[in-house]
Amino acid sequence: MAEAHQAVAFQFTVTPEGIDLRLSHQALSEIYLSGVRSWKKRIIRIKNSVITGVYPASPSSWLFVVIAILATMYTRSDPSMGIIAKIQEHLPVRYVSGKSIMVSAVLFSTMLWLLLIFTMRLCLKQLLSYHRWMFEQHGKMSTTTKIWALVRIFSGRKPLLYSYQGSLPNLPVPAIKDTVKRYLESVRPLMNDGEYERMTKLATEFESSLGNRLQWYLKLKALWASNYVSDWWEEYVYLRGRSPIMVNSNYYGMDFLYVTPTPIQAARAGNSIHAFFLYRRKLNKEEIKPSRIPGTVIPLCAAQCERIFNTTRIPGEETDTVQHWKDSDYVAVYHKGRYFRLKVYQAGRLLSPREIEFQIQRILDDPAPPSKGEAKLGALTAADRVSWAEARVKYFSSGINKRSLDVIERAAFFVTLDDEEQGTMRDDQPASLDNYAKSLLHGKCYDRWFDKSFSVIYYKNGKSGINGEHSWADAPVVAHVWEYVLATDSFQLGYNEEGHCKGEVDASLPQPQKLNWEISPECEEQISRSLAVAQALADDVDFHVLSFRDFGKGQIKKCKVSPDAFIQMTLQLAYYRERGTFCLTYEASMTRLFREGRTETVRSCTNESSAFVRALENGEPADVCRRLFRGASEKHQQLYRMAMTGAGIDRHLFCLYVVSKYLGLESPFLKEVLAEPWRLSTSQTSIQQVELFDLANHPEYISCGGGFGPVADDGYGVSYNFIGENVINFHISCKHSCPSTVSYIKKGFEFSFLFTFQSLCLKIKKTLRQFGESFNFNKFNCLVFSGDSVFDLGDYFKISFCHSPVLNEA
């Protein structure tokens, strides 16, 4: 019970002479400083609430309005048109005449000020509800959009993080006939005539009968709730899922691809942990700039930022819950089977990077072995949720186990000090990147705490990475923190010549507290069963990471083609070449233009994209392929804009399905729609804080992005991001257990993936020339055909390309 005594501020002993009271001044001092820190945060929250509450005005504008009203009164004019006199008559206390008029004027000024604020917020909300500007052609702005540009006037000069929250519009409920029409259009390339006719009949019956009833309930919810989707999406898609969240839900983000700021594990952890708490300090003070659509002043919802730190997913037998604590002054650390509580505040101040490095090194040097059953305890969070929920209630609901579990769950975030080396290894770059991705996604299945909002992994060679839990927020929120930490670590904090953190160390810092556990044999058996489930899931995942450097979004944009649409068309062609058919394709789009918005689905497989793919594969003339490619790209961009502006398909149908379940009604149409598998799940992760990175002078400081596991057992997960103008990174995942996506066949898909770039670009090369640009394929051809590729294609080089009409034409 040593850990309990460390938290006691005083001890006493009963003696014949009385009570001997011994106070711990250090403990009392910590309590006092903790209280001061807590009250400072409360004051900051109150101040920010006032500033955010009156936005887009400022608190100081109240004084300006009061002075203006008083000044006009001194000119013997009544700006209130008799209202001030009415207020004066109803004052509860009779003042001296002059003071009475003064108080009335101030009250009137305050009411006028509040009315002006309300009007400005209403105008701002109306302006932010206008989305037609997204659909207009570049350089052709309508009169309405020019007037809409007044949003700059109402957006204020220095908004806090949550300043726009009260002005963001609510997510609209689309008309049911529009959703059904768009759905039928999206599945047409996936069905033959008979299947499509059957689905059309189901959809028509649903729209004319049950759909209207469900729609009524959904509109009622939209009037009451700020977002009719997000709470149900969080609960039913994430928290009620009973399968493991490792691989199936959690995602990862990588470190710099070619640079390791320091090879010292403890130093890397010291700098970045300090940077995480700097970010949290800015977050608590709301000093982080609101995210916006790039190149505009249009803000995005910041509601997800509230639960970045001090948050844990708590398992339940039927549904999990997300628990958030307001504050935490420590992180939970895992190293070689042991768990530690590492305080990052001492005497009310944040420890310096050098001091955190010193404390991390103490953990690394600690020779104490794990407690019985402790080493693989984290496997409970990696297996199915029901087993973890039952074990939590049975073995961790009281005593020392509960106290230690509380320490982990209440921590700001989780830290793993991995005893392996990861990253880009020069002797085997492809395999090393693949192993790096798999390590970040699942590790050893017991050395991460997958329930935490995010876990940070520090490897033995100084590499790092992050693993995020998905229910509380989407990947861009975690990516925003990760970008800040990477930039602050390398460009602001830095390291000395030996690779250690800068600064001095207070040698009197208390040792990190090792957590103790009492694991029974029955609990150990449960841990072993959970580990077996998690290990089987992890072993089934196949991953490949590709950093493509032959061209990037710079060349694509010069050809007046959307980079995202270009990649999506490439993926459609690659999948068709591998399977000989098309599949339901998921591309994530955000809906954070609306309050509490999260994501919507862009169904990238369209009639236009399938027509283009077939034309290209059938050797149609170049002008035909050119026209179809343009049409497919424009269609994709149209769908993306519609998804962003609340006119998507899948979230509306999902909510209609939830309502039907609440009413106890069955819909064959909705049941079939929700059961359709996403065999190609894709997502683009873009850099949000470009200003933090100098890619022109330091192109080596780029992250390889992040990825996720496959959504369907027989499908692929593809994450991609554009770095600068010349790099495209891909993260491709599938499962070994699927006969059509096993490792060697997947490598064929990867080859098709690369070959897709070649054939697609060569086929439309003549088209791109009309824009005065063409891609440079010399290096790319060398990569594919010389064997000096970024991964081993093995026997796939035996495939003959001589019969390809695309290559022959080029």
Side-chain angles (χ1 to χ4, degrees):
M1 301 296 290
E3 74 287 343
H5 290 296
Q6 293 177 10
V8 176
F10 65 91
Q11 301 177 19
F12 66 91
T13 305
V14 179
T15 66
E17 291 77 19
I19 298 177
D20 180 18
L21 183 65
R22 298 189 300 276
L23 296 175
S24 171
H25 294 288
Q26 181 179 0
L28 290 175
S29 176
E30 285 293 325
I31 292 172
Y32 168 76
L33 292 171
S34 177
V36 170
R37 184 162 153 261
S38 178
W39 275 104
K40 283 182 178 179
K41 286 188 175 182
R42 291 184 184 182
I43 293 171
I44 290 173
R45 289 193 189 104
I46 293 172
K47 183 193 74 171
N48 288 342
S49 296
V50 173
I51 296 174
T52 300
V54 303
Y55 191 85
S58 64
S60 59
S61 63
W62 172 83
L63 185 60
F64 174 81
V65 174
V66 171
I67 293 174
I69 295 297
L70 291 176
T72 56
M73 290 182 64
Y74 277 110
T75 62
R76 296 186 179 277
S77 60
D78 185 6
S80 69
M81 294 180 290
I83 297 178
I84 293 178
K86 289 289 185 180
I87 295 174
Q88 186 178 0
E89 292 176 4
H90 292 85
L91 284 177
V93 181
R94 293 294 178 184
Y95 296 97
V96 179
S97 179
K99 290 185 177 180
S100 177
I101 295 175
M102 182 74 70
V103 172
S104 301
V106 171
L107 289 175
F108 171 77
S109 301
T110 302
M111 289 189 294
L112 178 62
W113 178 65
L114 293 175
L115 180 61
L116 290 172
I117 291 172
F118 176 78
T119 304
M120 292 177 67
R121 289 171 73 96
L122 187 62
C123 291
L124 180 58
K125 188 168 187 174
Q126 293 300 314
L127 289 169
L128 294 178
S129 300
Y130 177 79
H131 300 128
R132 198 181 303 168
W133 61 274
M134 295 182 64
F135 297 88
E136 295 183 351
Q137 293 183 4
H138 182 70
K140 295 182 180 180
M141 186 182 295
S142 66
T143 304
T144 306
T145 300
K146 290 178 181 178
I147 297 174
W148 166 83
L150 292 171
V151 70
R152 293 178 180 272
I153 299 175
F154 291 93
S155 62
R157 291 187 299 172
K158 294 182 179 179
L160 297 177
L161 176 62
Y162 302 119
S163 291
Y164 291 107
Q165 290 302 101
S167 301
L168 290 173
N170 292 357
L171 183 68
V173 181
I176 196 164
K177 64 177 182 179
D178 294 336
T179 298
V180 170
K181 179 182 178 181
R182 287 193 288 265
Y183 168 78
L184 290 174
E185 183 183 356
S186 73
V187 297
R188 186 64 187 95
L190 309 176
M191 298 179 176
N192 58 37
D193 293 342
E195 292 170 336
Y196 184 71
E197 183 179 352
R198 172 182 164 276
M199 182 56 72
T200 302
K201 183 178 179 181
L202 285 176
T204 303
E205 291 175 355
F206 171 77
E207 180 185 342
S208 60
S209 56
L210 180 59
N212 290 323
R213 183 181 175 187
L214 301 179
Q215 180 81 343
W216 186 87
Y217 282 97
L218 211 54
K219 287 183 176 180
L220 186 63
K221 183 190 178 186
L223 290 174
W224 176 255
S226 54
N227 192 297
Y228 78 93
V229 174
S230 293
D231 57 340
W232 284 350
W233 187 254
E234 179 177 308
E235 180 180 358
Y236 293 107
V237 172
Y238 294 114
L239 298 180
R240 285 192 179 241
R242 302 293 82 197
S243 60
I245 60 175
M246 182 196 77
V247 173
N248 294 325
S249 179
N250 285 30
Y251 52 89
Y252 68 86
M254 283 186 168
D255 195 2
F256 295 123
L257 186 57
Y258 296 111
V259 173
T260 305
T262 177
I264 302 175
Q265 185 178 20
R268 190 74 195 281
N271 257 11
S272 59
I273 290 175
H274 183 84
F276 272 114
F277 279 90
L278 291 180
Y279 187 94
R280 192 182 74 164
R281 179 185 293 171
K282 292 168 69 72
L283 183 66
N284 290 338
K285 294 181 178 181
E286 300 183 27
E287 294 175 350
I288 297 171
K289 295 179 181 179
S291 296
R292 304 175 187 270
I293 292 181
T296 74
V297 296
I298 309 303
L300 303 178
C301 179
Q304 297 179 52
C305 298
E306 297 173 356
R307 298 187 291 183
I308 294 177
F309 296 94
N310 330 316
T311 300
T312 299
R313 176 171 174 163
I314 306 295
E317 292 190 13
E318 293 185 0
T319 182
D320 294 354
T321 55
V322 176
Q323 182 69 51
H324 172 71
W325 291 269
K326 287 189 176 181
D327 193 21
S328 179
D329 63 354
Y330 66 91
V331 293
V333 182
Y334 175 92
H335 177 244
K336 289 188 176 180
R338 306 159 306 162
Y339 292 87
F340 294 85
R341 179 178 186 264
L342 173 59
K343 292 191 65 175
V344 294
Y345 281 88
Q346 176 72 10
R349 68 172 180 86
L350 177 63
L351 297 184
S352 69
R354 186 70 182 90
E355 289 172 326
I356 298 177
E357 176 190 352
F358 176 71
Q359 295 290 74
I360 291 291
Q361 193 61 51
R362 280 178 161 181
I363 294 175
L364 293 172
D365 296 338
D366 191 328
S371 304
K372 184 176 181 295
E374 177 187 13
K376 299 179 180 179
L377 177 63
L380 291 171
T381 69
D384 63 280
R385 306 305 292 173
V386 175
S387 298
W388 173 208
E390 292 173 349
R392 191 176 189 275
V393 172
K394 191 172 183 179
Y395 306 114
F396 299 91
S397 59
S398 62
I400 190 172
N401 286 351
K402 184 180 187 304
R403 289 193 291 273
S404 295
L405 181 62
D406 283 346
V407 168
I408 295 175
E409 292 182 339
R410 292 171 180 265
F413 54 91
F414 191 79
V415 172
T416 294
L417 302 176
D418 206 302
D419 54 0
E420 295 181 347
E421 295 186 357
Q422 293 291 351
T424 306
M425 309 300 179
R426 291 184 178 180
D427 54 340
D428 192 359
Q429 176 180 331
S432 64
L433 277 178
D434 298 351
N435 293 334
Y436 183 22
K438 281 179 65 65
S439 176
L440 290 175
L441 185 65
H442 55 68
K444 299 186 181 81
C445 301
Y446 57 80
D447 54 349
R448 318 277 189 259
W449 201 266
F450 295 101
D451 287 353
K452 288 299 293 181
S453 55
F454 66 91
S455 300
V456 191
I457 300 94
Y458 300 99
Y459 294 101
K460 192 174 181 180
N461 59 341
K463 270 297 184 208
S464 66
I466 193 167
N467 181 289
E469 200 278 314
H470 212 157
S471 65
W472 63 276
D474 300 308
V477 177
V478 174
H480 194 276
V481 187
W482 189 234
E483 288 172 10
Y484 175 89
V485 169
L486 288 178
T488 304
D489 170 21
S490 299
F491 305 133
Q492 295 185 26
L493 299 177
Y495 301 88
N496 61 25
E497 294 180 356
E498 291 78 25
H500 293 284
C501 298
K502 298 175 182 178
E504 302 298 327
V505 177
D506 180 1
S508 66
L509 291 173
Q511 286 272 358
Q513 175 189 345
K514 184 181 181 300
L515 304 185
N516 294 318
W517 309 86
E518 293 177 355
I519 307 298
S520 64
E522 295 81 8
C523 184
E524 282 192 82
E525 291 180 7
Q526 180 58 60
I527 292 173
S528 298
R529 288 194 294 269
S530 296
L531 180 58
V533 171
Q535 194 65 61
L537 177 60
D539 291 343
D540 195 23
V541 176
D542 197 4
F543 238 100
H544 183 66
V545 180
L546 168 65
S547 184
F548 184 81
R549 293 175 162 270
D550 299 285
F551 60 84
K553 69 177 182 181
Q555 288 281 9
I556 299 172
K557 287 192 298 184
K558 288 179 181 178
C559 301
K560 297 185 180 180
V561 177
S562 161
D564 184 68
F566 181 89
I567 297 299
Q568 288 295 325
M569 295 307 105
T570 300
L571 293 173
Q572 290 300 311
L573 183 55
Y575 189 91
Y576 185 82
R577 281 180 169 160
E578 190 211 7
R579 298 287 185 88
T581 185
F582 299 102
C583 72
L584 195 60
T585 305
Y586 183 111
E587 181 186 4
S589 166
M590 63 88 178
T591 56
R592 291 171 65 193
L593 288 170
F594 304 95
R595 191 168 185 178
E596 297 180 15
R598 292 199 58 163
T599 61
E600 178 57 276
T601 304
V602 179
R603 294 182 168 227
S604 301
C605 182
T606 62
N607 292 319
E608 290 79 2
S609 68
S610 59
F612 161 68
V613 169
R614 286 194 177 100
L616 193 63
E617 287 297 273
N618 294 335
E620 295 289 340
D623 59 337
V624 174
C625 294
R626 176 167 63 241
R627 175 175 52 81
L628 292 174
F629 173 74
R630 287 290 178 188
S633 298
E634 290 170 3
K635 178 65 175 181
H636 179 268
Q637 287 302 98
Q638 178 77 0
L639 291 176
Y640 202 101
R641 296 184 187 106
M642 292 176 69
M644 286 181 63
T645 54
I649 301 170
D650 291 277
R651 299 303 179 267
H652 186 201
L653 294 176
F654 162 76
C655 288
L656 291 171
Y657 180 76
V658 173
V659 174
S660 73
K661 288 300 180 182
Y662 276 126
L663 297 177
L665 302 173
E666 287 293 331
S667 168
F669 170 71
L670 290 177
K671 186 177 181 180
E672 193 158 331
V673 169
L674 271 295
E676 293 171 344
W678 301 97
R679 291 192 173 89
L680 187 55
S681 181
T682 71
S683 178
Q684 179 191 168
T685 55
S686 57
I687 295 180
Q688 303 171 64
Q689 304 167 87
V690 182
E691 69 278 3
L692 297 179
F693 302 91
D694 185 3
L695 296 180
N697 297 319
H698 300 284
E700 69 278 10
Y701 282 92
I702 58 171
S703 168
C704 199
F708 51 87
V711 174
D713 290 336
D714 59 346
Y716 295 99
V718 181
S719 174
Y720 56 94
N721 67 337
F722 300 94
I723 302 296
E725 299 296 301
N726 303 305
V727 180
I728 311 174
N729 293 322
F730 297 93
H731 301 250
I732 308 168
S733 65
C734 68
K735 291 191 175 182
H736 290 290
S737 59
C738 176
S740 58
T741 60
V742 291
S743 180
Y744 69 92
I745 294 181
K746 183 178 76 70
K747 285 185 179 294
F749 170 66
E750 291 162 353
F751 183 77
S752 175
F753 197 90
L754 279 177
F755 182 57
T756 296
F757 277 106
Q758 169 121 357
S759 61
L760 182 82
C761 296
L762 290 175
K763 192 71 178 178
I764 64 172
K765 189 174 181 181
K766 295 178 180 178
T767 307
L768 301 177
R769 282 188 180 136
Q770 66 179 299
F771 302 108
E773 295 289 339
S774 62
F775 291 109
N776 178 9
F777 297 99
N778 293 333
K779 181 181 177 183
F780 184 57
N781 289 337
C782 177
L783 279 176
V784 172
F785 295 109
S786 71
D788 185 23
S789 61
V790 291
F791 60 89
D792 183 14
L793 293 172
D795 293 337
Y796 283 91
F797 282 110
K798 296 179 181 178
I799 299 175
S800 173
F801 297 101
C802 298
H803 302 292
S804 169
V806 176
L807 293 179
N808 289 336
E809 180 183 337

